[in-house]
């Protein structure tokens, strides 16, 4: 393909790697401070510092009100931490999926994890509220989360099974199987919505729009280890994903254990996304948008792309959650709706810009 | 010393003690979630202790002046904490559960008030709220009076000659009308008022279908005043299937204020009596 | 040694390759020639380990190729395929560094970068090392991928036999670069003691730069030997269906094939 594009500079206008990562980390810290301080109850940076110091057992209980303490420690801190984990996890899984499928439009939802989680959650909502089961509300929530996580994982395993023969998984077949499973799950959710009563329908819709409102320390204790361990494992795929850019066959020539990389990438993404989706519901676009922006700024090399994506994703979701809980206070906007509203036009703008560089 | 004097002294001491401990215990800065909770709080004379209520708290008028913390099913823990409450009184169906759990972890006690649909439940609500707000005296008095008025209402309903078939409409949005089966507040009110729920094959709310409505053949349509304001009576009668019912042919539509009709609060005896009168008026 | 023994590849009742045996020594350059469909690329894919032969086996340095793990295999042999995917956004240097995958533990080291630069210099591509792949011409991209395969094998002990397999490495190159690349590959093979097997369409180019040629026809080996031995008129007309004359005893000592016309029209 003759594609000599004249007029473009010789070296790509990329940010140097270290600078980008440090810049993103600093930005994340600033955003976290901002998000921790803003909300229905205002808490200044000095008070945040004193509260944290006291919580760690170092300072004494002065300089902040009881109300600020309660809000920060029991509500905002777990929520901001969940936002950081969610953004990092979704963006990382998105970048890994895009690298594996060599398609910048790929998203973990393509391999079925989101729809699998959604239909399992919908089913749990409908079944869990059956009077015969006598499930008390907090237990119902736990049931829905467990169901969502299991459903997401099962869907991915099913998709992988459908696309594998004799121990080798075909990525194009995976995409097709993922699309089919997603369609099936959507039909199932439609059927469940049809037979559900008003309250169940409301819960299903609420869940699908996404929200970080359920964040709490016990919840984080369960979700955080899965997400962090999964993310760390995914980060180590950088070199293999760069090799995958050559195509699966060439990657194998260069020394990549294709089957192993596919397994780790797919299962790892499914675990991270499944754990997050089970707690927050579906949050659109982060997995698609963050990698795109990072590629535009820093190039496609995965050693920089993956950590940068994690940082940028964390920043995006923390900001989105801040907007979700402050724009219409005391009510909250569903965060999935916000990210879709902002993410879709931003994505289209990025697509226009991107064509200059890649085609 | 005579026994009378001793009794008087004891009573006086008790009164003083009661006042002292009452003044020390009386909870301030209360958030009420649920229209009926707010109504009862005001009825017990403790309305001045409320700092905020939810969006369904529309009675009495004084409640409308209070700051709102959102819709009772989609509370935000932080939004509630922003008003610095010391106690939260919430109906059982307030939510989401995670918000209530966060409020409890933040150290604010949350008292759950039953949301059942029966007269006994009303007494229980009054009793519980009276207990929580340190108003046991007024609460007992209210329970007594409620029981008297309830007896009058049930006698009046029992004396009705016939039983009207009633269909309750819930206006979710203008193109999404729901109808009530069994197990809802509307269903309970219809039965208490001596009527028959025209739909009984399912529980909860389901979308209105023309055939189901025609088969149900209600004599009267029941809807809240808010619902009528949202839809308009003309829009209601143009729904497929409704026009073909006896209610549609005779244009029999009964509307009442939502909290009054479905709240199951202190005005229940009057609400049941009013509903019975209106649905059986020929 | 890269040793292919009695390689047979059958698909249904069609034989793509039949009983091919070939041994390549470190430092040696071997060309595979033959017309389209003769089995050249098939043989290369078997030698590379991509394809399992229906019969026969391949061994590198005495170890059966089948038993080697991907990383081990990548350090022993590199393949340059005919077609390459686009790699938008990557620079030429970054693409060459990908070739070092099997050698890099975590991040590319100074040595890896030096090797990548040397590989690019070898294919005359140093001046566009920092250019994005999508800004390069087809020929320039082909050279970058060749550099990648060179980089994959460089840096190891010269005692360890390594093998470079090239599928039409000169297909998209202009004439000057065709000769330059073949000369560089030959020099690379000698310097690093790497065995080279290259599928070449142009038998004159092959004659000029390789030690031995294997000529295939319809899956069978017609001849294996030095240029003088293999490039004879009867063999060439049989293998390629053409009329030609072979000029020998030229300066440089390599035969030159002059094609006179197609041999297909004559009945």
């Amino acid at each position: 393909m003759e594609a000599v594009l004249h007029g473009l500079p010789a070296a790509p206008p990329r940010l140097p790697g270290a600078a980008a990562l440090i810049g993103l980390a600093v930005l994340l810290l600033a955003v976290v401070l901002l998000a921790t301080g803003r909300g229905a109850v205002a808490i200044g940076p000095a008070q945040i510092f004193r509260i944290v110091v006291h919580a760690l057992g170092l300072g004494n209980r002065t300089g902040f009100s009881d109300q600020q303490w309660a809000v920060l420690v029991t509500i905002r801190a777990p929520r901001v931490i969940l936002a950081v984990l969610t953004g990092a996890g979704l963006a990382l899984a998105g970048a890994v999926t895009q690298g594996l499928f060599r398609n910048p439009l790929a998203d973990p939802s393509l391999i079925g994890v989101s729809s699998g989680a959604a239909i399992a959650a919908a089913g749990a909502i409908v079944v869990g509220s059956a009077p015969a089961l006598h499930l008390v509300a907090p237990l119902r929530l736990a049931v829905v989360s467990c169901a969502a996580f299991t459903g997401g994982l099962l869907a991915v395993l099913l998709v992988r099974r459908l696309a594998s023969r004799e121990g080798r998984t075909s990525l194009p077949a995976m995409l097709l199987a993922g699309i089919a499973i997603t369609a099936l799950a959507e039909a199932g959710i439609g059927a469940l919505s049809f037979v559900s009563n008003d309250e169940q329908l409301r819960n299903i819709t609420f869940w699908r729009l996404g929200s970080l409102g359920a964040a709490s320390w016990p919840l984080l204790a369960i979700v955080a280890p899965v997400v962090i361990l999964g993310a760390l494992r995914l980060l180590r795929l950088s070199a293999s994903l760069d090799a995958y850019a050559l195509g699966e066959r060439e990657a194998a020539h260069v020394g990549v254990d294709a089957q192993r990389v596919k397994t780790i990438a797919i299962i790892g993404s499914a675990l991270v996304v499944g754990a997050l989706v089970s707690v927050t519901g579906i949050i659109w676009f982060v997995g698609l948008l963050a990698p795109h922006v990072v590629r535009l700024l820093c190039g496609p090399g995965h050693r920089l792309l993956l950590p940068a994506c994690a940082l940028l994703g964390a920043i995006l979701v923390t900001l989105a959650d801040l907007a979700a809980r402050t724009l219409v206070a005391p009510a909250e906007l569903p965060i999935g709706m916000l990210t879709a509203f902002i993410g879709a036009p931003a994505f289209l703008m990025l697509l226009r810009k991107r064509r200059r560089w890649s085609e | 010393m005579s026994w009378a004097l001793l009794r008087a002294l004891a009573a006086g001491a008790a009164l003083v003690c009661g006042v002292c401990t009452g003044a020390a215990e009386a909870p301030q800065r209360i958030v009420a979630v649920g229209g009926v909770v707010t109504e009862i709080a005001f009825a017990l004379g403790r309305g001045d202790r409320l700092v905020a209520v939810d969006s369904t708290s529309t009675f009495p008028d004084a409640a409308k002046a209070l700051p709102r913390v959102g819709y009772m099913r989609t509370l935000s823990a932080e939004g509630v904490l922003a008003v610095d409450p010391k106690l939260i009184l919430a109906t059982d169906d307030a939510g989401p559960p995670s918000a209530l759990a966060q409020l409890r972890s933040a150290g604010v006690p949350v008292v759950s008030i039953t949301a059942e649909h029966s007269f006994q439940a009303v007494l229980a609500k009054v009793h519980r709220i009276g207990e929580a707000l340190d108003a046991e005296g007024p609460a007992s008095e209210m329970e007594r009076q409620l029981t008297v008025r309830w007896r009058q209402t049930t006698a009046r309903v029992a004396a009705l000659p016939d039983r009207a078939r009633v269909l309750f409409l819930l206006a979710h949005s203008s193109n999404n009308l729901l109808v009530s089966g069994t197990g809802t507040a509307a269903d309970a009110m219809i039965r208490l008022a001596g009527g028959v729920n025209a739909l009984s094959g399912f529980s909860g709310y389901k979308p209105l279908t023309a055939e189901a409505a025609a088969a149900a053949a209600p004599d009267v349509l029941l809807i809240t005043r808010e619902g009528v304001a949202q839809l308009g009576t003309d829009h209601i009668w143009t729904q497929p299937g409704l026009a073909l019912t006896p209610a549609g042919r005779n244009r029999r539509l009964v509307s009442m204020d939502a909290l009054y009709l479905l709240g199951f609060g202190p005005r229940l005896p009057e609400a049941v009596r009013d509903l019975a009168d209106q649905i059986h008026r020929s | 040694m890269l040793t292919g023994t009695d390689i047979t590849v059958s698909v249904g009742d069609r034989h793509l390759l039949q009983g091919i045996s070939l041994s390549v020594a470190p430092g040696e350059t071997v060309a595979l020639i033959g017309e389209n469909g003769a089995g050249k690329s098939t043989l290369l894919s078997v030698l590379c380990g991509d394809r399992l032969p229906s019969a026969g086996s391949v061994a590198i340095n005495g170890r059966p190729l089948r038993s080697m793990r991907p990383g081990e295999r990548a350090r022993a042999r590199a393949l340059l395929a005919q077609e390459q995917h686009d790699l938008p956004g990557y620079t030429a240097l970054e693409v060459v560094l990908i070739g070092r995958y099997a050698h890099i533990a975590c991040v590319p080291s100074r040595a890896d970068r030096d090797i990548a630069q040397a590989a690019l210099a070898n294919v005359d591509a140093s001046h566009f090392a920092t250019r994005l792949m999508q800004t390069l011409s087809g020929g320039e991209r082909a050279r970058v991928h060749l550099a990648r395969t060179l980089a994959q094998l460089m840096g190891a002990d010269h005692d360890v036999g390594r093998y470079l397999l090239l599928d039409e490495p000169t297909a998209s190159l202009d004439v000057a670069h065709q000769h330059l690349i073949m000369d560089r590959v030959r020099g690379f093979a000698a310097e690093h003691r790497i065995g080279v097997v290259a599928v070449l369409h142009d038998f004159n180019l092959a004659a000029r730069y390789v030690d031995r040629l294997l000529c295939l026809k319809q899956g069978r080996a017609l001849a294996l030997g030095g240029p003088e031995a293999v490039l004879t008129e009867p063999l060439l007309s049989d293998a390629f269906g053409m009329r030609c004359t072979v000029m020998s005893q030229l300066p440089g000592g390599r035969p030159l094939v002059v094609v006179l016309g197609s041999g297909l029209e004559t009945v």
Side-chain angles (χ1 to χ4, degrees), chain C residues 21-218:
Chain C
S21 290
L22 175 67
S23 273
V24 181
E28 186 184 12
T29 320
V30 175
L32 301 179
I33 60 172
E35 58 182 0
N36 290 345
K40 309 187 294 292
S41 292
T42 312
L43 178 59
L44 207 65
S45 68
V46 171
L47 290 175
C48 152
D50 270 356
R51 192 170 195 152
L52 223 54
S54 319
S57 61
V58 180
I60 295 187
N61 304 328
R63 282 176 49 74
L65 191 60
R66 226 179 33 235
S67 71
M68 289 169 91
R69 311 243 27 248
E72 199 187 342
R73 208 185 288 192
R75 284 186 288 275
R77 67 94 185 90
L79 177 90
L80 180 67
Q82 258 188 49
E83 310 258 320
Q84 297 288 345
H85 288 290
D86 298 331
L87 281 140
Y90 285 91
T91 63
L93 184 64
E94 284 169 347
V95 172
V96 175
L97 271 172
I98 293 176
R100 297 294 296 165
Y101 178 87
H103 304 273
I104 296 175
C106 188
V107 235
S109 64
R110 181 82 251 155
D112 292 313
R113 287 189 190 280
D114 290 341
I115 286 176
Q117 294 282 13
L120 280 169
N122 225 333
V123 300
D124 195 34
S126 296
H127 57 285
F128 51 81
T130 55
R131 290 259 300 275
L132 295 174
M133 288 296 278
Q134 66 261 31
T135 67
L136 302 177
S137 70
E140 288 169 335
R141 282 202 295 274
R143 278 148 55 201
V144 170
H145 284 290
L146 176 60
R148 171 172 61 79
T149 54
L150 299 182
Q152 183 176 337
L153 297 177
M154 285 163 72
D157 211 349
H158 281 194
D159 290 343
V160 179
R162 291 152 292 153
Y163 302 90
L164 186 62
L165 307 169
L166 308 172
D167 198 343
E168 311 255 16
T170 55
S172 50
L173 301 182
D174 53 55
V175 172
H177 276 112
Q178 283 180 21
H179 284 262
L180 178 76
I181 290 307
M182 284 311 297
D183 186 43
R184 293 284 175 88
V185 166
R186 187 175 165 75
F188 176 81
E191 179 191 343
H192 294 269
R193 293 199 41 76
I194 287 177
V196 176
V197 181
V199 171
L200 289 171
H201 238 92
D202 183 343
F203 28 76
N204 278 320
L205 200 65
R208 182 86 181 71
Y209 292 103
V210 310
D211 299 316
R212 284 192 296 157
L213 295 100
L214 171 63
C215 184
L216 298 174
K217 179 179 180 178
Q218 288 173 344

Side-chain angles (χ1 to χ4, degrees), chain B residues 8-29:
Chain B
L9 276 175
L15 188 64
V16 168
C17 283
V19 167
C20 288
T21 46
E25 283 173 9
Q28 306 288 345
R29 301 198 69 79

Side-chain angles (χ1 to χ4, degrees), chain A residues 28-356:
Chain A
L28 177 62
L29 199 61
V31 164
V32 164
L33 270 174
L34 180 72
T36 316
R38 293 292 210 94
V41 175
I43 308 177
Q47 288 149 332
I48 295 175
F49 179 70
R50 283 205 204 97
I51 292 175
V52 169
V53 157
H54 178 62
L56 292 172
L58 298 171
N60 47 13
R61 208 183 167 104
T62 56
F64 50 84
S65 70
D66 282 350
Q67 183 195 41
Q68 288 174 324
W69 166 269
V71 164
L72 187 84
V73 172
T74 55
I75 300 177
R76 281 224 205 122
R79 187 159 176 156
V80 168
I81 291 176
L82 183 62
V84 166
L85 284 175
T86 303
L90 291 180
L92 201 55
V96 166
T97 313
Q98 286 165 20
L100 192 68
F101 285 95
R102 293 187 63 248
N103 189 331
L105 292 177
D107 182 79
S109 61
L110 276 182
I111 54 174
V113 60
S114 309
S115 353
I119 186 175
I125 288 172
V126 169
V127 168
S129 59
L133 282 179
H134 294 299
L135 281 180
V136 73
L139 194 59
R140 246 185 257 169
L141 195 65
V143 166
V144 172
S145 292
C146 288
F149 181 69
T150 312
L153 214 56
L154 283 179
V156 169
L157 290 174
L158 177 64
V159 165
R160 192 160 157 261
R161 187 76 191 77
L162 288 173
S164 301
R165 204 191 305 173
E166 291 157 15
R168 305 192 68 175
T169 309
S170 149
L171 288 177
M174 257 204 103
L175 273 178
L176 290 174
I179 291 172
I181 295 294
T182 299
L184 212 63
E186 294 294 320
I189 294 171
L192 283 169
S193 306
F194 187 68
V195 302
S196 61
N197 64 28
D198 191 43
E199 189 198 337
Q200 291 164 339
L201 191 58
R202 194 179 334 114
N203 284 336
I204 292 176
T205 313
F206 198 66
W207 191 87
R208 296 198 72 187
L209 288 175
S211 160
L212 296 180
S216 65
W217 293 112
L219 193 93
L220 280 180
I222 298 173
V223 166
V226 176
V227 173
I228 292 174
L229 288 175
L232 287 176
R233 191 59 192 87
L234 289 178
L235 281 171
R236 285 179 24 211
L237 288 176
S238 301
S240 306
L241 290 175
D242 275 339
Y244 249 86
L246 294 172
E248 195 171 333
R249 175 164 285 191
E250 285 303 295
H253 291 155
V254 153
V256 175
D257 187 343
Q259 205 47 33
R260 191 158 165 273
V261 166
K262 269 182 287 200
T263 303
I264 294 173
I266 292 167
I267 302 297
S269 298
L271 281 174
V272 169
V273 174
L276 290 169
V277 162
S278 73
V279 167
T280 67
I282 314 271
I283 299 181
W284 300 101
F285 272 107
V286 178
L288 212 50
L289 203 61
H292 258 84
V293 172
V294 175
R295 263 190 228 107
L296 265 183
L297 294 175
C298 305
H302 286 86
R303 282 195 188 85
L304 180 58
L305 182 76
L306 294 189
C309 270
L311 290 172
L312 183 63
I315 292 170
L316 289 176
V317 173
T318 308
L319 283 175
D321 183 55
L322 177 62
R325 56 186 168 83
T326 52
L327 283 180
V328 291
E332 282 186 14
L333 287 173
I335 189 175
M337 200 186 75
L338 257 184
T339 56
F341 255 128
I342 299 173
F347 187 65
L348 290 171
M349 264 169 42
L350 280 182
L351 273 182
R352 284 190 60 205
K353 227 184 152 188
R354 192 181 185 277
R355 281 175 44 206
R356 278 186 67 223

Side-chain angles (χ1 to χ4, degrees), chain B residues 33-63:
Chain B
V33 178
V36 69
V37 176
T38 307
E39 186 179 338
I40 294 176
F42 270 95
L44 291 175
R46 294 283 184 266
D48 54 336
R49 308 250 184 90
L50 300 180
V51 290
V53 295
D54 74 309
S55 59
T56 63
S57 298
T58 54
F59 186 87
D61 281 340

